[in-house]
Amino acid sequence: LHSPKREKQVLSNINENISSPGPNTKVECMICKVFVANKNLPLHLNTCLEKQPPSGKPLVKRKPLPKLVYNLLKDSELKKRCKEVGLSTKGDRRALIGRHQKFSVLYNSECELENPRSKSELVRQVEREENAEKSGTSANSLLRFDRNCDAKSIEEKQKKYIQQNKSSFSHLISSVKQKE
């Protein structure tokens, strides 16, 4: 990650700093400008050099994926786009669009980071989220209603949910009261 010329310069600076008296004397790191105990300087410089990008090359960031107009894409093109990034091509059109949209959002948000996750990690996250959605039987399934539910059935479901989670609620309340 570092050039030989830069390494020689840093090593000469290390030798100058180490020759100063006292191992607990604080010296400034030539790379990050942080004061470090003289005895810890070589170790600190190694970590700084590993973190630094090569001096000749700026850090290259990933280019974000373009926004797609999914209505204009044919099914075959949509499957091709999913396959290009490593996503599953199984399912209907709506599933493919949702899958690709989730991946695009994750990928584009990672582009701004110094250490973005790999495409394969993002694909796995999309798959995990999709599987979680498919299972759909979460703890709060009692609180899911459609617009055809009447008020009485909604109230019954809410009471049932409160009864099932009463111990959790009381535990949370007692822990908050203890903190106060």
Side-chain angles (χ1 to χ4, degrees), residues 79-90:
K79 286 183 180 184
K80 180 182 166 194
R81 297 281 181 143
C82 287
K83 192 174 184 179
E84 284 174 356
V85 295
L87 293 169
S88 172
T89 57
K90 295 180 180 175

Side-chain angles (χ1 to χ4, degrees), residues 69-75 78 91-98:
V69 181
Y70 294 103
N71 292 335
L72 299 178
L73 290 177
K74 295 179 182 176
D75 286 350
L78 185 57
D92 62 345
R93 181 176 178 82
R94 203 170 80 214
L96 292 173
I97 290 172

Side-chain angles (χ1 to χ4, degrees), residues 19-45:
S19 63
S20 63
N24 291 328
T25 309
K26 298 257 181 179
V27 289
E28 185 179 43
C29 173
M30 290 73 63
I31 298 169
C32 66
K33 307 297 183 206
V34 171
F35 285 94
V36 181
N38 198 11
K39 65 180 180 180
N40 297 333
L41 187 64
L43 180 63
H44 175 79
L45 284 170

Side-chain angles (χ1 to χ4, degrees), residues 62-172:
R62 289 196 298 206
K63 291 184 180 179
L65 294 174
K67 293 182 181 176
L68 297 178
V69 181
Y70 294 103
N71 292 335
L72 299 178
L73 290 177
K74 295 179 182 176
D75 286 350
S76 59
E77 292 176 50
L78 185 57
K79 286 183 180 184
K80 180 182 166 194
R81 297 281 181 143
C82 287
K83 192 174 184 179
E84 284 174 356
V85 295
L87 293 169
S88 172
T89 57
K90 295 180 180 175
D92 62 345
R93 181 176 178 82
R94 203 170 80 214
L96 292 173
I97 290 172
R99 195 175 295 144
H100 194 273
Q101 283 177 332
K102 285 179 186 177
F103 178 82
S104 297
V105 168
L106 286 172
Y107 183 88
N108 290 344
S109 64
E110 293 277 330
C111 286
E112 299 298 318
L113 300 177
E114 282 185 34
N115 298 318
R117 292 183 288 172
S118 67
K119 282 185 179 180
S120 60
E121 288 178 287
L122 298 176
V123 167
R124 281 183 290 203
Q125 182 177 345
V126 169
E127 289 171 353
R128 277 194 308 267
E129 289 176 4
E130 191 173 337
N131 290 336
E133 285 177 15
K134 282 182 183 176
S135 66
T137 55
S138 61
N140 64 356
S141 62
L142 283 175
L143 298 178
R144 290 190 185 160
F145 314 109
D146 62 357
R147 61 181 170 187
N148 297 329
C149 283
D150 60 339
K152 193 173 186 176
S153 65
I154 292 174
E155 189 176 337
E156 288 173 12
K157 288 181 179 181
Q158 288 174 337
K159 286 181 181 177
K160 187 175 181 182
Y161 179 80
I162 290 171
Q163 284 296 338
Q164 285 181 346
N165 297 294
K166 193 169 190 156
S167 63
S168 297
F169 295 145
S170 59
H171 175 70
L172 288 171

